[in-house]
Amino acid sequence: MKQFRNRVIRAGLGALYLSGAHLLLRPIFSGVGAIFTLHHVRPRRPTPFEPNHHLEVTPEFLRATLHHLRSHDIDIVTLDEMHRRLIEKNFARRFACFTFDDGYRDNRDFALPVMREFDAPFTVFVTSDFADGIGRLWWVALEKVVAAASLIEITIGGVPCRLDAATPAAKQAAYNRLHDWLRALPGGYDVRREIGALCARHGIDEAAICPDLCMNWDELRPFADDPLVTIGAHTVSHCNLARQSEEAASQEMTVSRTRIETALQRRVLHFAYPYGDRIAAGTREFALARSAGYKTAVTTRPGMLFSESAAHMSALPRVSLNGNYQDERILPVLTSGAATALWNGFRRVDAA
Ligand SMILES: [Zn+2]
């Protein structure tokens, strides 16, 4: 389904670009601004099997995006400034925010230098378990398992399966199957148990992944001191909040903030829902983020910001800078809002 959607979106973007339709749609659908979602920023390391490639862009693509925005006279602002403009209905200039989820070390090593070139502020949403070095990045663990294996034997829904993983294409198919299964499991505990068993069976050191990829508190302190950097919260454990009890979901939001505030000695006012799609964040989670006192909370539902977004500060859409579409010709389409309008069936606000 995800692959299918990717194909449709890819085709849709291409068609929009080639037809120039994004320019015609622009006055109606471009909105007042956009919040971009990024994860990793790092140089390309091409390998035949890259199931998480959508989560990374190169420093060059980030630079091209910033250059594009600046050359179109779009302000690059903090989430606080976005909030102010939405509340005050100050839409004299279009604006964009840059947000990076999870707290990867490459945000410091590769994103920060590029953001500095443009004096562009940005927000990093930190998962507190990741900063503690004890987080579970199960999608990376799964990638390592499938990369190492040529055959994966697993019981899915009580049915024993043998998944071929001998070729890049077979690995991708096996990864998709296992990813969809893991995301559909009822709780974080189930995911941890299953991925833990897979790692043990295939010789993957799961515990090493988090400290290898994520900034710890000692690294985050000087990073957070940079005037361009805002730190937001992204839960304690990177769980699917919609699958938690109300109490547990609320704790994930409040405890992660307290831990970041204590460790970094600054207030945390912004939140990003892990995964952030409809399956992971809905009406209940939006209300919980509001009552937890967050000024804004961002989803991964695709969309631009409109004046109406001011009434939905805990359900803000974003535009993904997806590693699978690092083509500079896509940039005018992204900033026109046409691609996300297409996705949203031309609704301006999607916050139910
Ligand atoms: Zn995340």
Side-chain angles (χ1 to χ4, degrees), residues 10-90:
R10 195 197 297 262
L13 286 174
L16 276 169
Y17 173 73
L18 293 171
S19 70
H22 63 283
L23 297 174
L24 299 176
L25 294 168
R26 191 179 185 122
I28 314 171
F29 295 113
S30 61
V32 297
I35 308 171
F36 291 107
T37 312
L38 298 97
H39 292 82
H40 295 282
V41 177
R42 58 191 176 195
R44 185 104 168 89
R45 316 164 298 174
T47 56
F49 172 59
E50 295 181 292
N52 290 308
H53 183 55
H54 60 290
L55 298 178
E56 64 178 275
V57 301
T58 62
E60 293 73 32
F61 186 69
L62 177 60
R63 185 177 292 113
T65 306
L66 287 158
H67 179 75
H68 173 81
L69 295 172
R70 278 280 155 78
S71 65
H72 284 73
D73 208 23
I74 293 171
D75 291 344
I76 299 165
V77 302
T78 61
L79 289 176
D80 284 326
E81 174 64 9
M82 171 214 71
H83 181 271
R84 189 185 70 79
R85 292 188 187 193
L86 282 176
I87 294 290
E88 295 177 0
K89 301 206 176 300
N90 176 353

Side-chain angles (χ1 to χ4, degrees), residues 39 101-102 104 127 130 139 234 238 273-275:
H39 292 82
D101 288 10
D102 301 339
Y104 296 114
T127 303
F130 292 2
W139 56 98
H234 196 44
H238 206 278
Y273 304 97
Y275 314 106

Side-chain angles (χ1 to χ4, degrees), residues 184-248:
L185 288 175
Y189 176 78
D190 305 273
V191 177
R192 280 197 293 279
R193 184 192 62 229
E194 296 293 348
I195 198 75
L198 273 171
C199 285
R201 225 175 302 141
H202 293 273
I204 299 301
D205 183 359
E206 192 191 1
I209 294 171
C210 176
D212 184 39
L213 292 176
C214 300
M215 283 185 276
N216 61 37
W217 297 116
D218 287 339
E219 294 170 304
L220 279 165
R221 267 184 280 272
F223 178 71
D225 279 340
D226 192 290
L228 292 177
V229 173
T230 298
I231 300 291
H234 196 44
T235 72
V236 174
S237 68
H238 206 278
C239 60
N240 177 334
L241 289 169
R243 291 235 165 85
Q244 313 300 312
S245 70
E246 184 163 328
E247 194 192 346

Side-chain angles (χ1 to χ4, degrees), residues 135-156:
R136 305 291 188 121
L137 287 81
W138 62 267
W139 56 98
V140 182
L142 183 61
E143 175 179 344
K144 287 179 185 291
V145 164
V146 177
S150 55
L151 178 74
I152 297 167
E153 297 189 64
I154 186 99
T155 302
I156 296 181

